[in-house]
Amino acid sequence: MFRRHAQNPILTAAQWPYPVNSVFNAGATLLQDGTTLLLCRVEDRRGLSHLCAARSANGIDGWQIDARPTMTPDPDRHPEELWGIEDPRITFVPELQKYAIVYTAFTRDGPGVAMALTTDFRTFDRLGVIMAPEDKDAALLPHRIDGNWALIHRPVSAPRAHMWISYSPDLKNWGGHAMMLQARKGAWWDANKIGLSPPPIETPRGWLVIYHGVKQSCAGCVYRLGLALFDLKRPEQLLQRGAEWVFGPGEVYEQRGDVGNVVFPCGYTLGADGDTVNIYYGAADTCLALATGSVREMLAWLDVQSE
Ligand code: BMA
């Protein structure tokens, strides 16, 4: 379903212009001039994360990495960012002519969801916490639905964690909370804990969602990816869900690192053909890799694989 790029990993800590521990879980977008921008989660050598932009003409190599951190935690004005900012998901919002960056703010009480708006990935308007801890794995849909903005997120109701969707008239006040997708139970690859991976892909058949599932065993966790399709007008309505996972750790750079056996995409770009999906994923919480898929193939697979 997804073909790994031969040049993987495409970005590592060794390429960074300043000393860092790891580079992973990047949000992605295509800028107006066709440049691929990755907003990378960078973990420093204290263990705290900030975001750093890397730009490339072909989305594969020749990355121009910002010389200094692009967006740093600002705990004086935003106490929720005390222990760093992580895992950004980027959505271009035509109505605002801005990019919405939805990210994890590592608060004293655990991870919460925060949002910032930008036009240039150089300055950022922070909206602060939009979902209280413990919550993460969130992304904004690109346009309003019935007059309201929609946010997919993943609150934790221990011991399980499911995907939810919430609505807002103004990007600040959120309500209309609805369960979107439940973690399965028992031995399944996506038992107990799931979450949105990149922002959903809008297709004529529905919102195509690539989500991660976490299988826990006495050997640790394995993060894999699955597919589900949701109604365009009522995105909490599940249309199809694949039974099997479609991508999981297989290469050494995915199996070994700070957190082994993790593939974790936070962003994708769409090719000029409108079908090719370039998925940028953190591998083993250590480096960034690229895999390519096809919207048509994913939808066809759901037709065959859905339960
Ligand atoms: C998740 C997130 C990701 C991370 C993954 C594996 O809960 O925190 O940032 O990549 O765990 O450690």
Side-chain angles (χ1 to χ4, degrees), residues 25-263:
N25 300 6
T29 194
L30 276 183
L31 301 177
Q32 237 118 70
D33 66 358
T35 300
T36 298
L37 180 139
L38 296 185
L39 192 60
C40 308
R41 171 178 172 189
V42 176
E43 192 183 286
D44 66 23
R45 291 170 176 235
R46 298 171 301 168
L48 307 193
S49 293
H50 61 268
L51 308 181
C52 186
R55 295 169 174 82
S56 157
N58 63 9
I60 298 164
D61 52 22
W63 295 98
Q64 302 282 326
I65 302 166
D66 281 359
R68 280 182 290 275
T70 310
M71 186 174 167
T72 47
D74 186 5
D76 291 338
R77 267 171 291 190
H78 290 275
E80 69 273 11
E81 299 183 359
L82 180 67
W83 287 325
I85 54 178
E86 306 178 348
D87 300 359
R89 273 88 169 178
I90 301 169
T91 303
F92 182 69
V93 183
E95 182 186 325
L96 306 175
Q97 285 297 299
K98 287 180 182 169
Y99 299 91
I101 304 165
V102 177
Y103 56 98
T104 301
F106 199 158
T107 81
R108 200 179 281 281
D109 299 304
V113 177
M115 184 169 357
L117 299 174
T118 188
T119 53
D120 56 7
F121 293 93
R122 296 186 199 285
T123 58
F124 303 90
D125 291 330
R126 282 163 155 94
L127 282 73
V129 176
I130 54 170
M131 289 290 160
E134 185 176 338
D135 204 328
K136 55 162 68 171
D137 298 329
L140 186 72
L141 299 194
H143 53 77
R144 297 172 192 257
I145 292 172
D146 277 344
N148 285 314
W149 301 106
L151 183 89
I152 300 173
H153 58 114
R154 203 289 306 276
V156 172
S157 42
R160 302 181 73 213
H162 313 295
M163 279 169 56
W164 286 69
I165 188 162
S166 301
Y167 295 93
S168 169
D170 57 8
L171 294 177
K172 290 185 182 129
N173 300 286
W174 294 89
H177 313 294
M179 168 87 77
M180 226 181 144
L181 192 69
Q182 286 205 44
R184 289 177 168 116
K185 291 183 180 171
W188 279 85
W189 68 273
D190 55 353
N192 302 321
K193 191 170 156 190
I194 60 167
L196 179 71
S197 272
I201 304 170
E202 193 169 8
T203 79
R205 280 181 46 189
W207 297 100
L208 177 59
V209 164
I210 302 173
Y211 72 97
H212 59 267
V214 186
K215 170 120 180 171
Q216 284 165 305
S217 75
C218 55
C221 294
V222 186
Y223 279 71
R224 301 188 182 99
L225 305 177
L227 299 179
L229 189 71
F230 298 86
D231 188 76
L232 282 179
K233 296 207 175 82
R234 287 191 54 230
E236 58 270 29
Q237 176 142 7
L238 175 66
L239 302 177
Q240 290 177 311
R241 179 184 196 169
E244 299 177 359
W245 69 80
V246 291
F247 192 67
E251 298 292 326
V252 173
Y253 55 87
E254 298 160 348
Q255 292 170 333
R256 286 196 217 146
D258 278 4
V259 186
N261 288 320
V262 175
V263 291

